[in-house]
Amino acid sequence: GSVHRLAKRAAEQQQLAASEQASIDLLRRSAPFCAQNKKVAFEGCPFYLHERLAATQLRTTFPSMRAIALLRNPRERTVSAFNDYLRMGRIRRAAGGATARDAQMLTLVASKIEMLRSGVRQLEDFDMRILTSAVYIHGLEAWGRAWPASQLLVLQSEEMFDAAEAVVHRVEDFLGLRRAIPASAYMRTHNKNTLAGKARASAALNGSLDAFFAPHNAALYRWLASRGTPFRPWPNGTHA
């Protein structure tokens, strides 16, 4: 019932808070080493952006830190997350080959969209992350309040794909690095999902995802425009 859901949500939030604190502690411990050896500490996570509390916690702990948000087309982000969950075993693969996996992804996404629309689940709920991690505006608004524009850089994955060198130079300038990252590093594929037989988006899935993300994307574009951040709207309604 509702009491069970509230208890489960509270436990999930407690787990998330502990995980975030562990990451902050790790960064704090690395600071003296980096200063002594003239190194720059980096820490990346696909979920920080969605966690509103992380923005203020990190700002309080590391006030001079610079944050970079790299945003991928929400539709592609969701499909990628589904395949990553399959690879890690968080989602049990449906029997029956690629067609069955495609249908499994469509059913799962539809059920989560319906739970959010009905109010059974909220954007912050842990079991919604496969979908809601791509609702970028939800977290970016909090990050924008906690961090000045001079310390928060928002980039598009599509920019990185199309013009990697130019984007890396922007990152280096933002971080105060003197062209320190060689092309051999950023032109190489890192952390590739090697899952065989990945699920692929159908026209029906793309339509559902585009409809779900449309108002969130529109709010994101308005927020970015208010900050003077150039951003290409993602195409909608096409078959990927």
Side-chain angles (χ1 to χ4, degrees):
S2 60
V3 174
H4 174 73
R5 288 197 300 271
L6 289 173
K8 181 180 178 183
R9 186 177 301 170
E12 290 171 349
Q13 292 298 328
Q14 186 176 8
Q15 180 183 3
L16 288 174
S19 177
E20 290 167 3
Q21 189 59 52
S23 296
I24 290 173
D25 291 342
L26 177 63
L27 282 171
R28 184 185 289 114
R29 290 195 301 272
S30 71
F33 171 84
C34 292
Q36 181 179 351
N37 294 277
K38 297 182 179 179
K39 301 289 185 181
V40 179
F42 290 88
E43 212 276 338
C45 176
F47 301 124
Y48 279 156
L49 183 62
H50 190 67
E51 300 300 334
R52 293 187 165 197
L53 290 178
T56 53
Q57 288 176 335
L58 286 168
R59 176 68 172 159
T60 300
T61 308
F62 305 104
S64 61
M65 188 187 87
R66 289 175 178 261
I68 301 172
L70 183 61
L71 312 185
R72 185 179 184 182
N73 187 313
R75 178 204 298 169
E76 296 176 3
R77 169 74 178 81
T78 304
V79 174
S80 177
F82 178 85
N83 283 316
D84 214 32
Y85 279 32
L86 282 180
R87 178 182 61 84
M88 294 184 291
R90 292 185 180 178
I91 296 175
R92 182 174 297 179
R93 185 182 305 198
T99 302
R101 285 193 293 276
D102 296 348
Q104 179 186 14
M105 179 167 57
L106 176 61
T107 300
L108 179 69
V109 167
S111 68
K112 292 190 179 296
I113 290 175
E114 179 56 33
M115 284 190 285
L116 288 167
R117 286 178 173 164
S118 67
V120 174
R121 290 287 191 276
Q122 305 298 319
L123 287 173
E124 293 86 358
D125 287 344
F126 187 82
D127 59 353
M128 294 291 106
R129 275 185 164 184
I130 192 171
L131 180 67
T132 57
S133 289
V135 181
Y136 303 121
I137 186 59
H138 181 73
L140 269 177
E141 285 181 325
W143 280 83
R145 287 192 295 270
W147 294 85
S150 61
Q151 291 178 238
L152 177 60
L153 177 64
V154 180
L155 300 172
Q156 269 181 293
S157 290
E158 291 78 10
E159 287 184 297
M160 181 71 79
F161 302 150
D162 295 341
E165 184 178 30
V167 172
V168 169
H169 287 171
R170 282 181 62 191
V171 170
E172 290 172 326
D173 293 341
F174 174 70
L175 298 175
L177 302 177
R178 294 186 177 181
R179 301 294 182 262
I181 306 173
S184 59
Y186 60 75
M187 294 303 291
R188 187 171 69 247
T189 300
H190 296 268
N191 195 30
K192 183 178 179 63
N193 186 343
T194 57
L195 177 73
K198 296 184 181 72
R200 298 188 180 278
S202 64
L205 177 66
N206 285 337
S208 296
L209 290 174
D210 287 341
F212 172 75
F213 286 117
H216 303 296
N217 289 345
L220 172 67
Y221 302 149
R222 290 193 298 270
W223 183 83
L224 290 166
S226 71
R227 293 170 61 90
T229 302
F231 202 88
R232 281 186 311 188
W234 289 296
N236 291 322
T238 57
H239 184 79

